[in-house]
Amino acid sequence: LFFAFRDGEGLLRWALSLVPMRNNHKQIIANRVYETFRAVVVGSFLTAAVQGATAMIGFMIAGVHLPVVLGIGTAMASMLGASILVTLPVALSVLRESTGYGVFLLVWAFGVVGLLDNVLKPVLIGNRARMPFVLIFFSIVGGIKLYGFLGFILGPILVASFLSFVKIYQEEYDEK
């Protein structure tokens, strides 16, 4: 990610020089890919922060020791799509001491923190990438299925690029 932001402009110029299209069409596609890439990155970080804060609130309610540290750990795990790696062990350890708070944390981990990833991420990415929620959701799921973890970024970028190509095609070849 660091190198993409640092060297991205030079790499983009080189990649665009290889594409046999008009310059204005190349620029449309490059802007769309950049906007989508940025939307995915920002949406991922915002979703991770919200999941970490939500988990921290649950930990505070249940009286867990070090809720801020565990919330930050949840946010970090959320970047990998696995907030449950932190919330589940904490909930199970609390379940041994207090059944009520343990059940609360289990429901909180699965019902609130876990679902935020599935709802908030497509909404945030879709708004920034100017794509419908359903299209973003399925592009993320399909990208992950096809390319693994890297598909989380590649899926939406490929869909956005395809939509740009369709728009260019319609502008060039649409007979009115």
Side-chain angles (χ1 to χ4, degrees), residues 14 18-19 24 28 30 41 45 58 78 94 103-104 112 114 120 126 142 145 149 156 159 167-168 174:
W14 173 76
L18 300 175
V19 177
N24 62 336
I28 289 170
V41 170
F45 280 113
S78 170
V94 170
V103 170
F104 163 75
V112 178
L120 195 57
K145 174 80 171 140
F149 183 69
V159 170
K167 182 179 178 184
I168 290 169
D174 192 21

Side-chain angles (χ1 to χ4, degrees), residues 4-64:
F5 283 116
R6 187 189 77 172
D7 302 329
E9 191 173 333
L11 183 62
L12 178 64
R13 276 195 304 269
W14 173 76
L16 288 179
S17 71
L18 300 175
V19 177
M21 295 175 78
R22 284 195 229 150
N23 283 334
N24 62 336
H25 292 162
K26 290 180 194 181
Q27 208 54 41
I28 289 170
I29 292 171
N31 287 340
R32 186 68 186 254
V33 166
Y34 174 75
E35 289 171 4
T36 305
F37 178 75
R38 187 159 187 220
V40 169
V41 170
V42 170
S44 297
F45 280 113
L46 287 176
T47 302
V50 170
Q51 280 187 293
T54 306
M56 184 183 69
I57 290 169
F59 297 149
M60 286 178 173
I61 291 171
V64 175

Side-chain angles (χ1 to χ4, degrees), residues 32 35-36 39-40 122-140 155-164:
R32 186 68 186 254
E35 289 171 4
T36 305
V40 169
V123 169
L124 289 173
I125 293 171
N127 287 342
R128 291 180 161 273
R130 294 175 298 153
M131 290 171 49
F133 173 83
V134 172
L135 194 57
I136 285 290
F137 179 76
F138 284 116
S139 69
I140 290 171
I157 287 176
L158 290 174
V159 170
S161 298
F162 175 75
L163 293 175
S164 295

